[in-house]
Amino acid sequence: GAVNNTQDNLEEVDTAGFTGSEVGSFVKSQCDIMEEASRYIENAKVEYDSVTDYYEDIQRIENAPEDIKLKLMYAADRVDNLSVDRRIFKSPENKLSNKVYRMMESYEEDFPEALVKLRHDEEDYNTVLKNVRMIKGERSMYRIEANDLVKKQLRIKKYSVLMLALLVGVFVIFLLISAASPDDEHIGMFITVVILALTLSLGLFAYLKSTERKVYVTEVKLNKATALLNKYKIKYVNAANVLDYQYNKYNVKSAYELEQKYQAYIEMKEEQKKMLEVTGNLTSAEADLMHILGRLGVIDTHVWIAQVKAILNPKEMVEVRHNLSVRRQKLRKQIEYNENRIEDAKNNIKNITRNNPAYAKDAMEILEKYLPKL
């Protein structure tokens, strides 16, 4: 199905109580984030340049001098008419429409690597999504554990108050008995009760300290889980955006659908080869069209064979331009998102060194190791 690429907000990590190793680990995680984000930016920019070249080719075609434009329209019309001879896949056994076939043809050089990459991207997305859900589950468990421990602390404190009140009550009763009966026979019982009460109080105090330690450990685990969750949320958004772009590019909803289309395309192309043996005129017409496009300075002339109708019909060209605009917008969004993640990671490193000045030198050493990669 369609990818949910909602950019989930990252959550703040409280790094104030981190130890030296935890500071180092956190700084390394932020460097990993910057390195990964830089890679996504670089890949997106390469694709963006390709889309921009495509966009500029449209302008070259639309702004062609009148004499060349007439030749271009004639060549395009000839290619379009001769293409009818190749449309044997309109018979019932052929599964692809003309539009889908042309789309697969325009990306032919990408296959089968494109299919392998899409499967890999889907696996990445599902793995990251599974990890996000698992970490969220662990964090929820830590939160429940922390709440239970806090409630336990309150109960222990309540019992301590009751013990103190009981001790005071025993003392008052002893004073009253001593005033009424000066004999020393009650002293032993009083001392026994006091010792029992003190022993119980010390036990409660030790239990309270143990519970407080567990609360601290649980809070540290909760912060670590939050830091890890933030890292995987970034991976999730990037994996979702990359997958969404691939689905949009090939107009599919899964790698399985693309595989089916690719297999059908390969079978249909074999049939087309037989047809091309009879209709060599189409090859000649396509060569003429690409030659004219080359004279106009068009960078990728071959792709227009698959979109010859856009040359003949302004409405088709508007659709091509719109699709390119959508692709550029998605790429800009990817670049902007990852630039923001790099900025966030830099700020996180500044904050943790400010909050933990004792480990600032160690943090800078880790950062310097990563700088050549960024």
Side-chain angles (χ1 to χ4, degrees):
V3 176
N4 175 16
N5 64 345
T6 304
Q7 297 189 356
D8 205 349
N9 291 329
L10 303 180
E11 297 178 29
E12 188 175 348
V13 180
D14 182 6
T15 59
F18 276 22
T19 63
S21 63
E22 288 165 350
V23 168
S25 178
F26 183 81
V27 171
K28 186 177 180 300
S29 74
Q30 299 307 299
C31 289
D32 288 339
I33 286 169
M34 287 192 284
E35 188 179 353
E36 184 178 74
S38 297
R39 190 171 68 253
Y40 277 108
I41 289 171
E42 186 179 344
N43 292 341
K45 282 183 175 178
V46 170
E47 183 70 18
Y48 189 88
D49 289 342
S50 174
V51 174
T52 300
D53 287 343
Y54 198 173
Y55 211 97
E56 288 172 355
D57 282 347
I58 292 175
Q59 292 177 317
R60 291 185 181 99
I61 290 168
E62 290 180 337
N63 299 330
E66 199 60 37
D67 57 332
I68 298 180
K69 199 161 197 174
L70 286 171
K71 292 178 181 178
L72 179 65
M73 296 296 282
Y74 173 79
D77 188 53
R78 186 163 170 255
V79 169
D80 187 46
N81 289 331
L82 289 171
S83 293
V84 176
D85 296 334
R86 296 178 62 191
R87 291 173 190 162
I88 58 169
F89 44 81
K90 283 193 174 179
S91 58
E93 64 271 20
N94 295 310
K95 298 178 182 179
L96 297 183
S97 67
N98 185 26
K99 185 176 181 181
V100 173
Y101 182 89
R102 292 298 190 184
M103 186 273 289
M104 294 300 295
E105 188 178 48
S106 67
Y107 293 121
E108 183 178 3
E109 291 182 0
D110 295 350
F111 289 93
E113 290 78 11
L115 189 56
V116 173
K117 185 179 185 307
L118 186 55
R119 285 202 199 99
H120 178 71
D121 289 342
E122 282 185 342
E123 289 172 2
D124 278 356
Y125 174 80
N126 290 325
T127 300
V128 172
L129 184 59
K130 183 181 176 182
N131 285 332
V132 167
R133 287 172 176 166
M134 183 180 70
I135 296 166
K136 279 185 175 179
E138 287 181 0
R139 196 178 61 162
S140 296
M141 183 183 69
Y142 291 143
R143 279 178 174 165
I144 292 169
E145 186 178 338
N147 287 335
D148 289 342
L149 288 170
V150 169
K151 287 177 183 176
K152 194 177 286 185
Q153 280 182 308
L154 293 174
R155 284 199 300 270
I156 295 168
K157 288 176 181 177
K158 190 186 293 181
Y159 293 148
S160 299
V161 171
L162 287 173
M163 284 301 303
L164 180 62
L166 182 63
L167 198 58
V168 170
V170 170
F171 185 75
V172 169
I173 291 168
F174 174 76
L175 288 177
L176 291 173
I177 292 173
S178 297
S181 175
D183 296 337
D184 295 335
E185 61 184 7
H186 304 294
I187 292 175
M189 186 183 296
F190 172 75
I191 290 170
T192 302
V193 172
V194 169
I195 289 170
L196 285 172
L198 285 173
T199 302
L200 194 55
S201 297
L202 286 171
L204 283 171
F205 179 77
Y207 191 45
L208 179 62
K209 285 296 177 185
S210 172
T211 306
E212 285 176 350
R213 175 62 186 166
K214 286 178 182 177
V215 169
Y216 172 77
V217 170
T218 303
E219 285 176 348
V220 169
K221 287 180 181 177
L222 193 57
N223 274 324
K224 286 181 180 178
T226 301
L228 188 61
L229 181 60
N230 283 344
K231 182 177 178 179
Y232 272 97
K233 279 183 178 179
I234 292 170
K235 286 178 178 289
Y236 169 74
V237 172
N238 279 317
N241 283 338
V242 168
L243 197 54
D244 182 62
Y245 179 79
Q246 294 283 77
Y247 285 163
N248 180 266
K249 180 177 180 179
Y250 298 113
N251 193 29
V252 294
K253 293 182 180 178
S254 67
Y256 175 78
E257 183 183 344
L258 184 61
E259 182 181 17
Q260 296 301 305
K261 287 182 177 179
Y262 178 61
Q263 291 298 331
Y265 168 73
I266 294 297
E267 292 170 8
M268 290 166 67
K269 193 182 177 195
E270 289 301 311
E271 294 173 359
Q272 294 296 73
K273 283 181 181 178
K274 297 173 186 176
M275 193 66 180
L276 282 172
E277 290 172 4
V278 184
T279 55
N281 287 338
L282 179 58
T283 304
S284 174
E286 288 175 348
D288 289 342
L289 178 61
M290 287 191 288
H291 176 70
I292 295 168
L293 290 169
R295 286 175 60 193
L296 290 172
V298 170
I299 295 169
D300 187 355
T301 57
H302 180 76
V303 75
W304 292 101
I305 300 299
Q307 297 189 124
V308 69
K309 284 191 179 296
I311 297 173
L312 298 167
N313 188 341
K315 288 183 180 178
E316 294 274 350
M317 189 65 89
V318 167
E319 186 180 343
V320 172
R321 193 191 295 271
H322 172 71
N323 289 338
L324 289 174
S325 295
V326 170
R327 283 166 63 181
R328 287 213 296 192
Q329 186 179 0
K330 285 179 179 290
L331 290 166
R332 279 196 295 265
K333 193 175 178 183
Q334 284 186 43
I335 292 167
E336 183 184 355
Y337 175 79
N338 285 287
E339 285 175 346
N340 289 337
R341 295 293 68 77
I342 290 172
E343 195 60 34
D344 288 345
K346 287 179 181 176
N347 289 333
N348 286 340
I349 292 171
K350 288 178 186 175
N351 290 336
I352 199 170
T353 52
R354 186 168 58 245
N355 292 338
N356 302 272
Y359 307 114
K361 185 180 177 184
D362 295 338
M364 290 309 295
E365 286 177 0
I366 294 169
L367 187 58
E368 284 171 5
K369 288 179 184 177
Y370 272 83
L371 283 175
K373 301 179 186 178
L374 302 176

